[in-house]
Amino acid sequence: MIPAQFDYVAPASVEDALAALAEHGDDAKIIAGGQSLLPVLRMRLNAPEWIIDLGRIESLRGVRDDGDSIVIGAMTPHSVVGSDPLVAEHATLITRAVEHLADAQVRHRGTFGGALAHADPAGDLGAPVRALGASFVIQGPGGTRTVSADDFFVDLFETAIGDDEILTEVRVPKHTGWGAHYEKFVRVAHQWPIVAVAATVRVEGGTIAEARIGLTNMGSTPLRAAAVEAALAGQPATEAAVRAAAAHAAEGTHPPSDLNGDADYRRHLATVITRRAVLAAAGA
Amino acid sequence: MTATAVDHEIGRDRRRKEDQRLITGRTRWTDNIVLPGMLHLAMVRSPFAHANIASIDTSEAQQAPNVIAVLTGADFGDELGVCINAWPITPDQVTPVHSPMPSDRVSFAGEIVAVVVARSAAEARDAAELVEVEYDELPAALDLKEAAADSVLAHPDLGTNKSALWVFDSGEAGTGGNVEDAIGKARADGIVIEREYRQQRLIPAFMEPRSVVVDPTGEQLVMYSATQIPHILRFALAATTGVPESKIRVIAPDVGGGFGGKLQVTPEEWIAWAVGRRVGKPVKYTETRSESLMSGHHGRDQWQKLTLAAEKDGTVTGLKVELLADLGAYVAIVGGGVPVLGAFMFNAIYKFPAYHFACQTVLTNKTWTDAYRGAGRPEATYAIERLMDELAAEVGVDPLEVREKNWIKHEEFPFTTVAGLEYDSGNYEAATAKARQMFGYDELRAEQMARRASGDPVQLGIGVSTFTEMCGLAPSRVLGQLDYGAGGWEYASVRMLATGKVEVTTGASAHGQGHETAFSQIVADRLGVAFEDVEVLHGDTAVAHKGLDTYGSRSLAVGGEALVRAADKVVEKAKPIAAHLLEASVEDIDFAGGRFSVRGTDQGMAIGEIATAVFAAHNLPDGVEPSLDSDATYDPVNFSFPHGTHLCAIEVDTETGALKMRKYVCVDDVGNIINPLIVSGQVHGGLVQGIAQALWEEAVYDDSGTLVSGSFVDYLLPTAADTISFDIDHTTSPATTHSLGVKGVGEAGTIASTPAVVNAVVDALRQYGVHDIQMPCTPERVWRAIQGGGAGGSTEGAAMPHFDPSEPGQDSTEGAGA
Ligand SMILES: Cc1cc2nc3c(=O)[nH]c(=O)nc-3n(C[C@H](O)[C@H](O)[C@H](O)COP(=O)(O)OP(=O)(O)OC[C@H]3O[C@@H](n4cnc5c(N)ncnc54)[C@H](O)[C@@H]3O)c2cc1C
């Protein structure tokens, strides 16, 4: 497991990183925590000539409060996101999802931005950030732009980040006081989800006032279960009501078939897991 | 500081001596070995399951930086040798020649076609990517049943895929009746259970990938290898490469697990050997995990067609077993012998009056298969324990009841089985009673009924496995009758050092089992020296010059007994010397607690003092040689037959098919226990490995013969997070055929647990008309079974693409090696 030879640069600022990216173009690859990129290199599935390491750029690290949103730096490791009090208070869904992401070693190295930029539809962070309506701050040679979660995920392993751009931070609107639950269906603990559901709900006096639900691994990108969200709004937080709404979970999805399950099985799982996630999020 | 001997080492929970160095990795793993001027190898492997090699262009690779040579099969002649099959199970077995690096045709994806020799491992790997191989693809024999019908040939020159048909019939052998008569009678007025079970293909995923270093610079050619079998390896190198055995030294340094997967003579070892000799410098090859999964031998892979005959009340009357066993592309060192090891175990603990076993071994274009923890016996145990549950369901009684009706009663030992083995000791009643009580069997059955009655979405299943197995391989005479290419004895020596310390050598070759600790305990007791004063040496043919290595739960039952005999000889040698030094007659000397004493006096000498006196040799009796060192070679007179009762409760989430283990209890009878902590470790680890076959592991190939589950993303190994804490205990029926009274424990957990788990799953689902779930019992299979979809077919589909390289703007490099 030895990667092909590459040159390595670790710039100290986003500007320097962008300059390096501009200079080496297609021959370069950004490395964040390396937890997805290194296996690719070591299995020689890819052989970039340059590796640009964002690890020394302090400004990309950390979580801050920005009024209506919290802002998570792209290079913040999963372990930090998972234990951050701001995230826990205002975006509990992300805290819940990170708890289930890989193992402690991977959470220590892997980064929030790296995972989202990698855009594995089985990744655990896409569904919660979509559900929470996050937006993505992307910096390139022409400056900075912001992309909504709905537009960020383009396809399998493909995002709105251009070849010459870097994801710098993710802005997550505060969902303070919302109940949240991430239900991950796996065969062994260290696996990527076969299917997972990220649910966060605002309950008012026993009624689900608002629900936001993201689906993991039910298509080529993380998905929103819009039909379930609509069906839940205004319903009582009861088993029967949630069951009826969750029956819509697989609508419009195109899950994969692989060693861990056929598409139709995943569609079925989505309905069961959505029900469980919503009920848990609602504290019911 | 001098350590002092305690009263009894045997039976103590000694922490393992070897753990610190093994766990920290600060030790001599093969890959840690660095020799002066050492070169590194990288292999070029076929991406095709079956293809003619049209051409191999090594020119570009030869030009790469620091490449010394790029060699193919054609560059070597006979000096490359062949990988051997040591157990042709029938005289007419069809056995393809297994070149370590074929030059004309590849027979499985992952087979080596060229080797690059370079100054660093990275440069070797880089250059391997530059070797251009042109293949003409051939149709591949992949499906076991189709291959058995010779529809596509794995080796066209052989004309058939059928390698050997091995048959045992109790009627013909005179060990029982005619099974067809029994089945005929049962069809008329009894019960016939007919089932077909699949033993999926598994991969022995040892922690340390295989690694080999060859040093040709001394007088002897030295091979270091991460192997279970240094002695057999040495013999095979001599036998097939023309190098005299006396010129070969094989060293198995610390080895990180094997589970049968390192009971092999591998193409990589043979290639490293040939290259080292060719270039005259030390060479090293260490496989990647991907290479390990793809090309290290696999295990299991059988179809089992089973017919059990019984009377209406559940008394068994006959068992017929028809197996198809997938050998993969070649007949490995034990190869077709693996299912034969199971042939004697299908009847298990039950008094079948008639038994017929037939196994057809079949060649395919998949990775070759061989021993994997349990080797033959897990397959047998799975089949019979699943069948006994089916029989219980048919009769309408508790699965434990039907077992009790048929098992050998404790007062009936020694018992000669319908397969012709003599079980020396055991007590199935005692183990079962204890397990039942620990498990809370009746309470869990009550809970099961309650959940059924209330239609709970979570249903409970209870699985039983009352296994036995044969281990402690093996009486040489029996192996001879089975045409195995070697004996089954083991060797040990005891050397008394001048300072009173003790050096022990054993021909067993530990690779994680804890021999150093357990063997030290035995010697400490036998010689009355301190545990800390015993050093156990192994795994080097120049140190332990003979031996038959470690597999088949044999090291303690066979190697331990050899050690006892060697130690006893030391005492016998020391006695006249003690008498001489104590000025007493030999008849008056007693030996106890490490001390030779003159009976009826307070005079005596410690064995260490005698060792010092022997070293000085100043004052020995006339004609006595100045040495206490002794050795022994022990050939077992019988196998050992551990047994146990395993009970497993599983919760089935009927909405998703997810399974959750609730409780696992096992009461094993492994005879006397030298070190309970080590036994627990073996049982816990063994259980997880067997449970993993039931629930998680499977080597899956696609239609073109590519291993889909080629990484740990898709080959699902459990971790501690996926298992529960097992409740284990023991009963003790000492083995009667040797002095230690131990039985093997290395494979017991693996053999027993698989059917316990699947029986639990099926038990939960029987109410829905389900009577089988194919392994591994994935949530999807379970869910489909509940939906009325049967046991589940073969696993299909792609791997999860988490490391997809196809990101925009990037070229990917291609290469079959990884
Ligand atoms: C054993 C194992 C188990 C895992 N299990 C899970 C799991 O259960 N669930 C889960 O969600 N994930 C899992 N992962 C993946 C993990 O979450 C990774 O951390 C994540 O996918 C990638 O993050 P990284 O920081 O390591 O990114 P890297 O591997 O460094 O980069 C990944 C990709 O993103 C690009 N990239 C990274 N940062 C940026 C940026 N700021 N701007 C633009 N492009 C960027 C890189 O160029 C690369 O293409 C697992 C990984 C491993 C090794």
Side-chain angles (χ1 to χ4, degrees):
Chain A
M1 286 284 208
I2 304 168
Q5 265 196 22
F6 54 80
D7 282 318
Y8 171 88
V9 58
S13 70
V14 175
E15 289 68 28
D16 288 354
L18 286 171
L21 205 49
E23 185 185 343
H24 302 296
D26 278 359
D27 296 332
K29 200 86 189 104
I30 284 172
I31 193 166
Q35 297 306 291
S36 294
L37 186 62
L38 283 177
V40 169
L41 302 185
R42 291 166 66 109
M43 290 190 279
R44 293 191 178 230
L45 298 168
N46 197 345
E49 284 168 26
W50 280 88
I51 293 289
I52 303 170
D53 187 348
L54 303 184
R56 296 211 184 135
I57 308 177
E58 277 309 316
S59 64
L60 293 179
R61 232 176 257 274
V63 181
R64 63 189 160 84
D65 193 324
D66 191 26
D68 290 345
S69 299
I70 57 165
V71 182
I72 303 174
M75 287 298 291
T76 314
H78 301 312
S79 55
V80 171
V81 173
S83 59
D84 186 274
L86 282 175
V87 178
E89 186 179 354
H90 303 297
T92 320
L93 188 55
I94 291 175
T95 308
R96 292 286 96 83
V98 171
E99 284 164 3
H100 295 277
L101 191 154
D103 52 45
Q105 291 98 315
V106 172
R107 288 198 291 273
H108 192 66
R109 300 289 319 173
T111 66
F112 196 72
L116 291 167
H118 188 57
D120 181 344
D124 285 305
L125 296 180
V129 300
R130 269 208 82 175
L132 292 170
S135 53
F136 292 75
V137 182
I138 298 170
Q139 198 171 329
T144 297
R145 63 196 178 100
T146 301
V147 176
S148 76
D150 293 346
D151 295 333
F152 180 78
F153 298 103
V154 177
D155 204 346
L156 206 66
F157 303 106
E158 203 183 328
T159 67
I161 308 171
D163 284 354
D164 54 356
E165 294 181 315
I166 289 173
L167 171 67
T168 57
E169 57 192 33
V170 180
R171 305 179 65 88
V172 185
K174 286 184 180 170
H175 284 69
T176 320
W178 286 48
H181 186 79
Y182 189 70
E183 181 85 15
K184 180 169 174 172
F185 191 83
V186 286
R187 289 176 58 202
V188 293
H190 59 275
Q191 220 184 351
W192 274 267
I194 296 170
V195 173
V197 175
T200 192
V201 295
R202 188 163 59 80
V203 181
E204 280 174 4
T207 298
I208 297 175
E210 243 183 302
R212 295 176 148 261
I213 292 155
L215 304 175
T216 306
N217 215 12
M218 286 297 290
S220 58
T221 66
L223 299 176
R224 277 282 282 277
V228 182
E229 293 178 1
L232 281 172
Q235 292 292 317
T238 60
E239 158 93 35
V242 173
R243 180 184 290 269
H248 299 287
E251 278 174 21
T253 63
H254 299 280
S257 286
D258 60 33
L259 289 183
N260 288 296
D262 277 353
D264 67 329
Y265 175 60
R266 282 191 160 92
R267 280 194 204 93
H268 163 76
L269 279 180
T271 63
V272 177
I273 292 171
T274 298
R275 184 183 83 232
R276 292 178 182 177
V278 171
L279 284 169
Chain B
M1 202 184 80
T2 324
T4 45
V6 299
D7 261 1
H8 281 296
E9 275 296 339
I10 289 181
R12 285 191 75 193
D13 263 337
R14 276 284 185 188
R15 293 286 167 91
R16 304 199 327 171
K17 291 180 165 185
E18 48 272 71
D19 275 349
Q20 185 170 359
R21 68 171 208 277
L22 295 183
I23 291 169
T24 60
R26 286 171 199 276
T27 188
R28 299 240 293 176
W29 306 116
T30 302
D31 191 53
N32 287 351
I33 292 167
V34 176
L35 299 176
M38 189 171 77
L39 301 172
H40 297 263
L41 309 185
M43 304 298 173
V44 179
R45 293 175 185 274
S46 167
F48 298 111
H50 196 192
N52 283 320
I53 302 169
S55 67
I56 303 180
D57 181 356
T58 62
S59 52
E60 207 186 331
Q62 305 260 18
Q63 303 305 314
N66 283 323
V67 167
I68 306 300
V70 184
L71 299 162
T72 67
D75 295 319
F76 291 101
D78 289 346
E79 65 182 293
L80 197 52
V82 290
C83 296
I84 57 164
N85 165 238
W87 192 353
I89 57 174
T90 60
D92 58 353
Q93 173 177 289
V94 172
T95 312
V97 174
H98 187 180
S99 167
M101 186 160 57
S103 54
D104 52 349
R105 186 172 56 85
V106 291
S107 304
F108 70 97
E111 185 151 34
I112 299 165
V113 296
V115 53
V116 177
V117 192
R119 292 204 190 280
S120 74
E123 287 160 333
R125 189 65 256 160
D126 285 345
E129 306 283 323
L130 303 174
V131 175
E132 293 284 342
V133 187
E134 260 185 77
Y135 296 94
D136 293 328
E137 242 190 300
L138 296 167
L142 297 170
D143 179 80
L144 174 53
K145 284 184 179 173
E146 285 171 24
D150 283 338
S151 46
V152 173
L153 294 181
H155 297 275
D157 51 316
L158 297 179
T160 179
N161 295 324
K162 295 203 269 293
S163 176
L165 177 66
W166 194 93
V167 179
F168 174 87
D169 186 277
S170 65
E172 282 166 26
T175 53
N178 180 302
V179 88
E180 296 300 343
D181 293 348
I183 294 169
K185 183 164 182 312
R187 281 199 203 286
D189 60 7
I191 296 171
V192 179
I193 311 268
E194 293 176 282
R195 294 285 184 272
E196 189 174 33
Y197 294 138
R198 173 85 177 125
Q199 289 284 329
Q200 79 270 36
R201 187 175 265 255
L202 300 175
I203 305 180
F206 30 72
M207 184 89 75
E208 177 210 20
R210 298 170 308 159
S211 179
V212 55
V213 171
V214 173
D215 182 3
T217 61
E219 186 53 36
Q220 280 186 313
L221 290 161
V222 183
M223 175 181 280
Y224 302 82
S225 183
T227 181
Q228 294 175 228
I229 52 164
H231 297 93
I232 295 172
L233 177 53
R234 180 195 198 198
F235 172 84
L237 280 171
T240 76
T241 69
V243 179
E245 191 176 354
S246 54
K247 288 287 182 197
I248 303 174
R249 176 178 178 191
V250 173
I251 301 172
D254 278 330
V255 175
F259 310 115
K262 291 173 183 167
L263 196 191
Q264 196 54 266
V265 292
T266 69
E268 290 83 355
E269 287 166 338
W270 260 236
I271 291 169
W273 183 252
V275 171
R277 290 174 70 202
R278 176 72 67 92
V279 299
K281 287 194 160 203
V283 298
K284 179 195 281 183
Y285 170 75
T286 300
E287 69 185 358
T288 65
R289 182 60 69 178
S290 309
E291 290 180 299
S292 187
L293 294 174
M294 178 168 56
S295 65
H297 78 241
H298 294 176
R300 312 278 198 284
D301 205 339
Q302 295 182 354
W303 277 108
Q304 309 177 308
K305 209 173 148 208
L306 307 155
T307 313
L308 181 147
E311 287 168 20
K312 277 220 163 62
D313 69 350
T315 304
V316 297
T317 56
L319 181 64
K320 184 176 171 187
V321 176
E322 296 158 280
L323 300 186
L324 281 183
D326 191 339
L327 294 167
Y330 298 104
V331 193
I333 189 161
V334 178
V338 170
V340 173
L341 283 173
F344 304 95
M345 279 292 121
F346 279 85
N347 51 295
I349 65 172
Y350 310 111
K351 294 183 279 187
F352 280 96
Y355 175 53
H356 180 90
F357 172 95
C359 175
Q360 175 68 59
T361 60
V362 180
L363 293 155
T364 61
N365 293 115
K366 289 183 179 172
T367 301
W368 41 324
T369 63
D370 205 330
Y372 174 55
R373 201 170 190 173
R377 292 150 289 157
E379 297 91 314
T381 303
Y382 180 81
I384 185 63
E385 289 304 302
R386 290 281 300 105
L387 285 181
M388 292 308 279
D389 261 33
E390 297 300 300
L391 177 61
E394 187 70 29
V395 180
V397 297
D398 187 279
L400 282 171
E401 192 181 322
V402 88
R403 285 171 169 81
E404 184 162 14
K405 182 187 267 308
N406 288 292
W407 71 38
I408 301 156
K409 310 263 176 299
H410 71 271
E411 62 272 13
E412 291 173 322
F413 287 93
F415 183 90
T416 302
T417 73
V418 74
L421 295 179
E422 188 183 283
Y423 294 178
D424 58 338
S425 67
N427 190 332
Y428 310 136
E429 297 93 324
T432 302
K434 197 167 190 177
R436 234 188 127 107
Q437 187 258 328
M438 285 166 63
F439 190 67
Y441 190 83
D442 298 333
E443 292 83 344
L444 281 166
R445 282 279 179 219
E447 180 185 331
Q448 174 180 45
M449 296 319 293
R451 283 179 187 264
R452 257 183 224 174
S454 69
D456 195 316
V458 177
Q459 289 291 313
L460 190 65
I462 294 169
V464 175
S465 168
T466 48
F467 86 106
T468 189
E469 64 131 338
M470 55 188 261
C471 62
L473 305 185
S476 299
R477 209 177 308 153
V478 176
L479 292 177
Q481 285 158 8
L482 293 171
D483 301 313
Y484 180 69
W489 45 263
E490 196 45 87
Y491 170 80
S493 76
V494 178
R495 307 175 191 150
M496 295 302 299
L497 303 183
T499 52
K501 310 287 182 194
V502 185
E503 228 171 41
V504 167
T505 72
T506 170
S509 194
H511 42 282
Q513 289 87 346
H515 295 172
E516 289 165 41
T517 301
F519 285 16
S520 294
Q521 290 177 270
I522 293 173
V523 172
D525 265 9
R526 216 73 195 182
L527 296 182
V529 296
F531 170 79
E532 292 81 2
D533 287 348
V534 184
E535 196 69 26
V536 178
L537 307 174
H538 60 84
D540 180 344
T541 59
V543 172
H545 72 283
K546 66 179 191 173
L548 284 168
D549 308 319
T550 288
Y551 44 85
S553 304
R554 68 188 303 276
S555 296
L556 187 58
V558 187
E561 187 64 20
L563 188 52
V564 166
R565 290 170 186 227
D568 288 353
K569 286 185 190 172
V570 170
V571 173
E572 284 317 303
K573 277 186 163 181
K575 231 178 212 172
I577 298 168
H580 176 77
L581 295 173
L582 292 164
E583 296 175 352
S585 84
V586 179
E587 294 74 47
D588 292 337
I589 298 290
D590 288 330
F591 179 69
R595 221 179 134 71
F596 292 90
S597 51
V598 185
R599 198 169 309 131
T601 75
D602 58 0
Q603 282 201 314
M605 281 180 91
I607 190 164
E609 292 175 279
I610 294 179
T612 308
V614 168
F615 168 72
H618 295 164
N619 180 17
L620 298 182
D622 288 342
V624 167
E625 65 167 335
S627 171
L628 297 177
D629 300 350
S630 302
D631 61 5
T633 302
Y634 170 70
D635 199 342
V637 295
N638 196 355
F639 296 92
S640 84
F641 302 98
H643 71 83
T645 296
H646 290 227
L647 299 172
C648 171
I650 291 219
E651 291 177 2
V652 180
D653 177 346
T654 57
E655 290 187 306
T656 62
L659 303 175
K660 190 170 149 213
M661 194 173 285
R662 165 89 169 269
K663 200 173 178 98
Y664 196 104
V665 164
C666 65
V667 176
D668 287 320
D669 192 328
V670 296
N672 293 333
I673 290 176
I674 305 295
N675 181 323
L677 200 58
I678 291 179
V679 166
S680 297
Q682 290 293 323
V683 171
H684 281 264
L687 289 177
V688 175
Q689 220 153 359
I691 293 166
Q693 174 172 14
L695 299 182
W696 299 300
E697 294 184 34
E698 183 177 19
V700 179
Y701 283 82
D702 68 14
D703 292 345
S704 57
T706 305
L707 180 67
V708 179
S709 51
S711 85
F712 285 153
V713 172
D714 296 292
Y715 190 80
L716 293 190
L717 287 183
T719 66
D722 302 299
T723 54
I724 61 169
S725 198
F726 309 121
D727 299 324
I728 76 171
D729 208 336
H730 302 281
T731 53
T732 304
S733 312
T736 62
T737 56
H738 55 80
S739 73
L740 279 174
V742 299
K743 302 175 177 179
V745 71
E747 296 156 297
T750 307
I751 292 169
S753 61
T754 311
V757 173
V758 178
N759 277 341
V761 176
V762 174
D763 183 54
L765 303 186
R766 205 177 286 282
Q767 55 181 320
Y768 308 113
V770 174
H771 60 71
D772 189 28
I773 303 278
Q774 192 169 306
M775 295 188 291
C777 301
T778 64
E780 183 177 12
R781 282 192 176 130
V782 171
W783 178 74
R784 286 194 196 285
I786 296 170
Q787 309 301 308
S794 60
T795 308
E796 281 167 7
M800 275 195 171
H802 302 291
F803 304 119
D804 192 299
S806 59
E807 283 160 78
Q810 295 289 353
D811 302 325
S812 76
T813 58
E814 284 184 26

